[in-house]
Amino acid sequence: NYFPSGCQLVALNFQTGDNPMWLNFWRFRENNSTGYVLKPPYMRGTAPKLLPIRLTVVILSLQRLPNKTASSDILDPFVQIELTGPGKDVEITRTATVTDNGFNAVFGGGRGEAFEFDTQEREVSMLKISVFDEDPMQVTLVGQSALPITAIRPGYRHVALHDVSNGAIRYAGVLAKFAIEYI
């Protein structure tokens, strides 16, 4: 999200898997990883800015989360949803923790947990979905994914998860429902 600052080229440390590196990777996945993303049309002066939206995300369930520890501990997952963007387009929220169910965790008694995000600059904002395992002594990242707001389509979606090294976690994902409303 360096476009609003006027940056044309940004150096990132590829040796660390931090949040800016993760968001950068997913921003370039939007155009099949070709290595080049144009500034949004309103920043180039070729089109007006898109209208602000309210994005509703309903987290319904998690599927097939891996337990990488050698212990027999069963995962206690929760989902953290983060809106990252310029200005006021920054918000972090999370679901309740589902105890002892990493295979098919269901939220809100099957109805899901709903979250609303108002975004003013959807052309450059990202939605990051992270799944964590909550234990009494620590919270561990299980998997994550990030989506450009402009790439999100309304309806039910399976969001595939990736590990901290950005490798795909086979069969693991978040079942979510997305709705977009103009505000």
Side-chain angles (χ1 to χ4, degrees):
N1 292 328
Y2 300 101
F3 286 148
S5 303
C7 296
Q8 302 293 324
L9 181 68
V10 176
L12 295 171
N13 185 354
F14 276 77
Q15 296 173 340
T16 60
D18 58 355
N19 200 40
M21 189 67 204
W22 185 257
L23 294 172
N24 178 67
F25 172 78
W26 283 97
R27 171 61 69 191
F28 284 96
R29 290 275 309 241
E30 183 178 6
N31 66 353
N32 296 325
S33 301
T34 59
Y36 187 77
V37 175
L38 284 174
K39 284 185 179 182
Y42 81 92
M43 289 184 179
R44 295 187 313 241
T46 59
K49 193 176 192 178
L50 295 178
L51 294 173
I53 62 167
R54 176 169 293 134
L55 175 66
T56 303
V57 181
V58 180
I59 302 295
L60 297 165
S61 67
L62 302 171
Q63 296 85 37
R64 297 187 176 203
L65 299 178
N67 189 354
K68 300 208 179 211
T69 61
S71 70
S72 61
D73 182 36
I74 299 172
L75 294 179
D76 301 319
F78 70 88
V79 179
Q80 177 178 298
I81 307 160
E82 176 181 352
L83 175 67
T84 303
K88 296 181 180 179
D89 288 356
V90 177
E91 188 176 342
I92 298 175
T93 187
R94 63 167 277 185
T95 64
T97 302
V98 176
T99 56
D100 295 335
N101 191 349
F103 187 73
N104 187 24
V106 177
F107 294 95
R111 293 188 180 104
E113 289 189 39
F115 304 95
E116 289 185 346
F117 300 94
D118 291 342
T119 178
Q120 303 298 317
E121 303 209 23
R122 60 183 155 139
E123 297 95 330
V124 292
S125 296
M126 303 275 290
L127 187 74
K128 183 177 177 188
I129 299 174
S130 305
V131 177
F132 292 91
D133 176 27
E134 186 172 42
D135 288 324
M137 302 302 274
Q138 68 180 359
V139 175
T140 309
L141 178 67
V142 176
Q144 58 189 351
S145 187
L147 308 164
I149 298 295
T150 55
I152 296 175
R153 301 293 175 252
Y156 292 93
R157 303 284 181 244
H158 181 266
V159 180
L161 294 175
H162 291 72
D163 60 17
V164 293
S165 303
N166 212 10
I169 303 174
R170 197 170 182 175
Y171 306 120
V174 178
L175 180 62
K177 180 182 179 186
F178 296 99
I180 297 173
E181 172 188 355
Y182 293 99
I183 54 175

